[in-house]
Amino acid sequence: MTAQTVAAAQADATAAATASTNAARDAATAQVALDTAKQKATDTANAATAAATAYQANPTPENQAALTAAQAAAAQAAADQATAQTAFNDKSAAAATAAAAATAAADNADKESKSFASLNKGTSTEGTTSIPDTDPFPDNALHSDNVQVVGHVRGGFGATANAKTCPAFNPTKCPGFSSLNFVHFENLGYDVLVANGTAGLSIWSLKDPAHPKWISQVSATDLATASGQSLIRFWEGENMTTDSRRKLVFMSRDEGNKGQFIIDIKDPWNPKVLNYSLNRQGHTSTCISDCRFLWSVGGVQASSGPTAPPSPVSITDIRDPLHPFVYPLFGADLRRTGTTSGSTHSVDVDFDGVVWVSGTGGVRGFYTEGVHKDPATGQDRVATPYAPIPYAGGSITGNDATTRPDSAYAFMHNAYRFPNPIGGKPGGDVMLVTNESNDTNCATAGQFLIASLTGSHDATDNVSSSTRLERLAAYRTAGKPGEFHGTVPGVDKDGKPIDVTVGDCSAHWFTVKGDLVALGNYEQGTRILDISDPRNPQQVGWYRVPARTADPSGKPDMTSSDTAGAYWHDSLLYVADYQRGIDILKYTGAPKGEPTSKTCWNSCADNQTIETWKTSANGSAGGSVPATLSLTLGGTATFGNFTPGVGKDYSATTSANVISTAGDAALSYSDPGHLTNGAFALPSPLTVSLSKSAWTAPVSNDAVGVTFNQHIDANDALRTGSYNKTLTFTLSTTNP
């Protein structure tokens, strides 16, 4: 969204308005022609009737000829009227079409203008309020040597009794966070962290990125009031999207009347709920096209509309946040078979602006901007968010006998198109995808997949319902360092006490930095993968917090990891956890690959803090300082002329410059005595004062004022000539 975008929309609106005016003028001209033709048809018809009456009264040859001519004229006039009617109908229809196009173009220009007008750099005044955030630091965390735990915040937690049951095998509730995101504040010079969970929205200042400061929240009660719905918890916004350029946060709701909360955080210390926008899906929502539109996915609310198309997507125009417009559902058809069973789960935008939809059966990308070949027609056309053009993708090959009969149709959770060449594959060919399948058997649980798009491009490849993406590799936590399994007390279906196995192993949300993937794995915590060889990904780091019960030594309760996702942000990793809140980690291992110039997970924006590799190492540089005591005196201090017979105090000044490399220094001077002129001396002694005479540290070029004072009495005998005295000034030290 730029001024040029707005100008182009306004130019289109102006052109459409001109075309509408011209079409309306043509229709008006056609109306005049039709009215003229109608009148002529009436007049000639009347003339023919009169001629017929005259002929019947007097059937002479002359009257016969007149009747024939009148009838011919009437017939021609009727034909001309029919032609004029057709022309008028065509011109009127064209005018109506042009008027509708002008209205749509004007509406589009208005929305573009409102969206652009909403761009802002946020507040420039830091708030003074904060919320206590005193959850215990995870001193019992388990992790690889190259992972450091640098911080932890809890934020708003929903009440356990009202919280949603965790989508994992740990039987505790989920009062924590399902996702997080970031918003950059240009006027403040740093980002804020936002996270949503059952308690609503929590916001932290990242002025100190390793130690976020909780500054505000939007509670579930606030959300209920804004939406006019009963809401004892927020659920769930599992891939929360943000608009840094307008300072907006979108919280996607997957319960009740599904939709999105739109929250203004221009002043993050005082967030405001702007609107609740209804649509038919609300599990996740993602900004596309500079956050002018949202694509939302998940299970479809059947009661709110017609039968859903294959792999449904809800599309919302949010250029005017106070008046969102929802389009009919779009079918992404992830399997390419037209099958309507199954749901969609995530939308992710890549570096080329291609929008990827993940869900049951596969992952598929679409153009939503620019001119591209439409494979359905073979013709080029403009792609829009509400009329996208297929790009590539589909199901992923590679049946695994230890998992399910046909893993090509497994549930794809979210996806990332890798922008750079990697492992012999060209840039943009490799797809990273998580397959979600909750299981405590890490050999069969949902996996992290790496696939190739080769052969799946709609405009250039011979794609069909049998087209599959080649699976290059798959990663699971089974057998890897940090793997976790355990039991907790539970009950069976009959209410009898049993031990319940915990340790959900499914892959979940991930982000990418260079060639490193930070992967959330539910109760297996966070895993860091090196994918520089996409056919052989390697786990290079991990982090997990085990549960702990408070003990007599004073160690507090500690909630175990149930990780929703891990998010690279500059040099740190922020871990959103369904139970714990947010842990902040630092990966100290070797950097791999080049970080990108903009952040592309969920939406793709170039206005957040750029990710960089920041590493530290000990280096050395040195030099030596020679022992120095340097004293430089200014010019001779001159009293001027002494006046005989007049009592007066005279003064004269000079300066000294001191340089000392010693630990201390002192400036002194010899006994001033009396000013003399040959054998004659002044009766009153010469006195000296220094502006500074001692130093307790090294100093360079420190100026010292030196003042000489001489008293002359009215009865002092003064001899013609010059009076003077030479003094010795000494700079010394006791700590060389």
Side-chain angles (χ1 to χ4, degrees):
M1 169 58 62
T2 63
Q4 289 74 22
T5 307
V6 177
Q10 291 174 336
D12 289 344
T14 300
T18 300
S20 178
T21 299
N22 293 337
R25 184 182 299 114
D26 291 344
T29 301
Q31 178 71 68
V32 172
L34 176 59
D35 291 343
T36 301
K38 284 181 177 180
Q39 186 62 53
K40 185 174 182 180
T42 299
D43 292 344
T44 55
N46 290 337
T49 299
T53 301
Y55 175 74
Q56 290 174 354
N58 186 16
T60 64
E62 292 79 10
N63 286 343
Q64 175 66 58
L67 174 60
T68 300
Q71 289 175 333
Q76 182 60 52
D80 290 345
Q81 178 183 342
T83 300
Q85 184 68 57
T86 298
F88 172 73
N89 292 344
D90 291 344
K91 297 296 185 182
S92 295
T97 299
T103 299
D107 180 63
N108 181 67
D110 181 61
K111 289 181 177 179
E112 291 289 332
S113 179
K114 287 180 178 178
S115 181
F116 182 72
S118 298
L119 303 185
N120 65 89
K121 296 181 179 180
T123 183
S124 57
T125 303
E126 293 183 336
T128 58
T129 60
S130 63
I131 306 173
D133 199 357
T134 57
D135 210 38
F137 187 86
D139 59 350
N140 62 327
L142 306 175
H143 52 83
S144 55
D145 291 341
N146 55 11
V147 171
Q148 293 180 354
V149 189
V150 298
H152 171 76
V153 290
R154 181 182 178 98
F157 266 41
T160 301
N162 294 329
K164 183 88 172 181
T165 300
C166 285
F169 284 81
N170 194 317
T172 61
K173 302 297 182 180
C174 272
F177 297 109
S178 55
S179 70
L180 59 81
N181 212 316
F182 307 90
V183 178
H184 183 61
F185 281 75
E186 293 84 348
N187 286 335
L188 294 177
Y190 55 82
D191 294 1
V192 302
L193 166 65
V194 293
N196 62 209
T198 53
L201 177 72
S202 292
I203 304 176
W204 294 266
S205 162
L206 291 185
K207 187 174 184 179
D208 179 356
H211 305 94
K213 181 180 180 181
W214 189 15
I215 58 176
S216 63
Q217 62 180 331
V218 179
S219 69
T221 301
D222 296 331
L223 298 175
T225 301
S227 65
Q229 301 182 55
S230 175
L231 186 68
I232 59 173
R233 63 172 178 260
F234 172 74
W235 192 259
E236 78 182 292
E238 196 186 329
N239 194 24
M240 181 175 55
T241 197
T242 62
D243 182 359
S244 273
R245 305 206 318 159
R246 290 190 290 174
K247 307 299 181 283
L248 298 177
V249 173
F250 300 89
M251 296 173 64
S252 184
R253 187 186 181 202
D254 201 21
E255 285 186 325
N257 295 322
K258 299 183 179 185
Q260 293 83 31
F261 290 98
I262 305 175
I263 301 172
D264 182 342
I265 63 165
K266 286 193 291 292
D267 177 357
W269 282 266
N270 295 285
K272 298 178 181 178
V273 182
L274 295 181
N275 193 17
Y276 184 64
S277 169
L278 294 173
N279 64 43
R280 296 181 66 190
Q281 295 168 280
H283 194 67
T284 69
S285 294
T286 299
C287 280
I288 68 170
S289 301
D290 277 344
C291 212
R292 293 150 60 235
F293 293 82
L294 285 181
W295 275 21
S296 303
V297 289
V300 174
Q301 189 165 310
S303 62
S304 64
T307 302
S311 308
V313 178
S314 292
I315 303 164
T316 306
D317 183 337
I318 52 168
R319 288 176 289 181
D320 180 358
L322 295 178
H323 303 93
F325 177 79
V326 181
Y327 288 85
L329 291 178
F330 158 67
D333 194 13
L334 302 183
R335 296 176 177 172
R336 296 181 177 272
T337 61
T339 302
T340 58
S341 62
S343 67
T344 43
H345 187 270
S346 175
V347 173
D348 298 277
V349 184
D350 71 21
F351 294 84
D352 294 326
V354 178
V355 181
W356 295 89
V357 181
S358 305
T360 303
V363 56
R364 199 169 176 193
F366 297 86
Y367 292 114
T368 60
E369 294 180 306
V371 177
H372 307 278
K373 180 180 178 180
D374 188 337
T377 64
Q379 303 298 313
D380 288 347
R381 70 170 176 88
V382 176
T384 67
Y386 43 86
I389 296 175
Y391 168 70
S395 299
I396 300 175
T397 63
N399 295 344
D400 186 340
T402 65
T403 57
R404 47 184 61 81
D406 185 1
S407 59
Y409 291 104
F411 183 74
M412 299 297 110
H413 183 272
N414 67 298
Y416 177 94
R417 181 179 174 222
F418 200 82
N420 302 324
I422 187 171
K425 291 289 185 178
D429 178 73
V430 171
M431 291 296 298
L432 310 178
V433 187
T434 46
N435 151 230
E436 184 178 22
S437 179
N438 299 109
D439 196 338
T440 55
N441 182 349
C442 294
T444 59
Q447 57 201 319
F448 175 79
L449 301 173
I450 305 178
S452 169
L453 291 172
T454 299
S456 73
H457 295 82
D458 292 79
T460 58
D461 296 327
N462 184 24
V463 296
S464 67
S465 60
S466 62
T467 297
R468 298 285 186 271
L469 277 62
E470 177 193 3
R471 177 185 297 201
L472 302 178
Y475 161 85
R476 290 189 178 92
T477 58
K480 305 297 191 302
E483 184 180 6
F484 162 69
H485 293 287
T487 60
V488 295
V491 295
D492 63 14
K493 62 180 180 179
D494 298 320
K496 296 180 179 179
I498 60 172
D499 286 335
V500 178
T501 301
V502 295
D504 187 355
C505 308
S506 180
H508 209 225
W509 296 106
F510 68 91
T511 58
V512 182
K513 182 176 180 180
D515 294 348
L516 295 183
V517 173
L519 174 65
N521 270 92
Y522 283 106
E523 291 170 286
Q524 304 303 321
T526 299
R527 303 301 169 114
I528 300 174
L529 311 179
D530 177 355
I531 61 164
S532 55
D533 179 356
R535 295 185 181 275
N536 186 28
Q538 297 295 312
Q539 176 176 303
V540 294
W542 62 277
Y543 166 82
R544 181 176 63 80
V545 179
R548 181 180 70 194
T549 302
D551 60 32
S553 69
K555 292 182 178 180
D557 280 328
M558 195 64 66
T559 307
S560 65
S561 291
D562 193 3
T563 302
Y567 304 84
W568 292 107
H569 184 258
D570 199 18
S571 62
L572 299 174
L573 265 173
Y574 294 81
V575 178
D577 196 283
Y578 283 114
Q579 299 183 92
R580 292 189 41 71
I582 297 174
D583 290 328
I584 301 102
L585 312 177
K586 184 175 182 63
Y587 177 70
T588 61
K592 287 293 184 72
E594 290 298 322
T596 53
S597 60
K598 55 184 176 181
T599 306
C600 288
W601 51 265
N602 184 269
S603 60
C604 192
D606 57 6
N607 55 336
Q608 295 184 13
T609 296
I610 300 301
E611 296 181 348
T612 58
W613 288 121
K614 293 181 180 178
T615 58
S616 61
N618 293 326
S620 61
S624 59
V625 177
T628 303
L629 285 175
S630 172
L631 176 63
T632 305
L633 293 174
T636 301
T638 303
F639 291 109
N641 294 327
F642 296 140
T643 304
V646 177
K648 182 179 179 182
D649 289 321
Y650 295 85
S651 65
T653 61
T654 187
S655 64
N657 185 71
V658 174
I659 299 175
S660 169
T661 62
D664 60 31
L667 178 61
S668 60
Y669 49 87
S670 59
D671 181 10
H674 296 257
L675 291 177
T676 60
N677 178 6
F680 298 91
L682 293 178
S684 299
L686 175 68
T687 62
V688 180
S689 62
L690 303 175
S691 63
K692 188 175 184 180
S693 61
W695 292 263
T696 59
V699 63
S700 290
N701 296 319
D702 197 7
V704 178
V706 182
T707 302
F708 298 89
N709 292 287
Q710 179 63 57
H711 175 70
I712 301 293
D713 191 76
N715 297 323
D716 287 350
L718 303 180
R719 177 73 171 93
T720 301
S722 296
Y723 284 85
N724 54 64
K725 177 71 174 181
T726 299
L727 278 71
T728 300
F729 289 83
T730 303
L731 183 65
S732 61
T733 180
T734 61
N735 185 19

